[in-house]
Amino acid sequence: MLDTINTNYFSGQGEIMLAKRSAAGNPGSFFMVGNAPKFEVTPAIERREHQESRSGHRLTDKVQTTTKGGTLSMTLEDIRKDNVALLLSGSKVTLASGSFTSGAPDTFPSGLVVGSIVKLARPNASSIVIKDSAGTPATLTLGTHYRVLDAAHSLIEILSLGALVQPFKAEYSYAQTDVVTAMTANDDDEYFLYFAGVNTEGTPTDQKIGFQIYRVVFDAAEVLSLINAEQGSFDLAGRILRDEARSADANFGGFARWDYVTANA
């Protein structure tokens, strides 16, 4: 007999949200990772087989579970700071606005030649003034001695040297900039994941599905593809660990839980 009434096929979409776990194992404030065309969870149960030694056939007479866990993988398309911090195993930092002044200038490297390109110490530079190192410093002329290739990236190209004395020194203002420093994340950082999913095969309307993983440790991205012919994306992987506190609660289990937020068929 075929069950033609209670079919509940699945085609999923939804929002993936992450929160750092506190020392007590509870999630803090969640952030959404944005569009993720792939999200996969791979449960892993390892078992040890025992072979008997009496029958002459070395038959497997027992299978014992040795460890449980799993992995997850997702493809991210959004370069919001929280995502990049995960991809780089890094930390979010905000560099305050400020300025380099005549008393504390941004000093160029020595030995520049015509055509040399220098990057200022800070991005988003404005009001740039460049002077040489003579006893009475000469001010370089924009368009004659140098040009600003890109003020946002703070790139300067040397056009003419004449009798100017190196090293040159720049005075300028710079705006506040958000950065992510790579490989500086705390090794103990663990995340709580919640997937606010929707089953688009739901009948008669889309079915809401929740999936939560209590304890995830993420690996840095294996590859960061920074030049793309098509829509760029980044693959992120993590390991699922057992949550000791929740494992004692039959409503949670130790690793993850699937919630039928909208009743199942």
Side-chain angles (χ1 to χ4, degrees):
M1 180 180 297
L2 296 177
D3 183 351
T4 59
I5 298 176
N6 294 315
T7 56
N8 198 182
Y9 298 122
F10 181 74
S11 179
Q13 290 196 316
E15 292 282 0
I16 301 169
M17 296 182 283
L18 295 170
K20 280 190 179 181
R21 282 168 46 103
S22 68
N26 297 316
S29 176
F30 283 91
F31 66 90
M32 295 180 178
V33 304
N35 199 62
K38 186 188 81 170
F39 174 43
E40 297 177 342
V41 176
T42 306
I45 299 177
E46 295 183 12
R47 293 188 170 99
R48 173 171 55 84
E49 295 185 354
H50 178 269
Q51 282 76 40
E52 54 80 25
S53 58
R54 296 178 294 174
S55 69
H57 298 290
R58 294 182 177 85
L59 301 175
T60 298
D61 64 351
K62 182 179 181 181
V63 176
Q64 182 178 5
T65 298
T66 58
T67 185
K68 296 179 180 180
T71 59
L72 65 84
S73 61
M74 63 181 80
T75 298
L76 307 179
E77 293 183 329
D78 195 306
I79 58 168
R80 60 191 67 189
K81 297 190 291 291
D82 289 302
N83 288 357
V84 174
L86 288 173
L87 294 165
L88 291 177
S89 188
S91 304
K92 297 182 297 180
V93 179
T94 298
L95 303 179
S97 60
S99 62
F100 285 94
T101 63
S102 58
D106 182 358
T107 302
F108 288 13
S110 298
L112 300 179
V113 298
V114 172
S116 292
I117 296 175
V118 176
K119 186 183 184 319
L120 302 178
R122 293 291 299 265
N124 295 313
S126 62
S127 305
I128 301 170
V129 175
I130 302 176
K131 299 178 181 178
D132 77 353
S133 291
T136 301
T139 299
L140 279 67
T141 302
L142 177 64
T144 299
H145 299 114
Y146 72 97
R147 65 169 173 160
V148 179
L149 289 179
D150 191 318
H153 288 290
S154 295
L155 297 174
I156 306 295
E157 182 182 8
I158 302 300
L159 301 178
S160 174
L161 292 171
L164 297 170
V165 180
Q166 298 192 52
F168 301 142
K169 300 175 181 180
E171 303 164 20
Y172 57 93
S173 298
Y174 49 84
Q176 175 178 298
T177 305
D178 294 325
V179 304
V180 175
T181 57
M183 307 299 176
T184 56
N186 189 328
D187 289 339
D188 296 327
D189 283 348
E190 295 180 355
Y191 288 83
F192 190 110
L193 182 148
Y194 185 73
F195 174 57
V198 57
N199 176 15
T200 62
E201 294 285 350
T203 303
T205 60
D206 290 343
Q207 178 186 27
K208 293 185 183 297
I209 297 292
F211 189 74
Q212 48 191 303
I213 304 174
Y214 318 130
R215 193 177 171 208
V216 180
V217 176
F218 286 103
D219 300 321
E222 291 188 7
V223 176
L224 282 178
S225 179
L226 299 180
I227 294 180
N228 322 101
E230 304 294 339
Q231 171 68 51
S233 62
F234 307 90
D235 292 328
L236 182 66
R239 281 166 280 184
I240 301 171
L241 305 179
R242 186 171 186 260
D243 186 316
E244 292 291 340
R246 288 179 175 83
S247 67
D249 188 335
N251 292 322
F252 286 91
F255 296 94
R257 189 176 81 179
W258 179 298
D259 298 337
Y260 289 100
V261 179
T262 302
N264 199 28

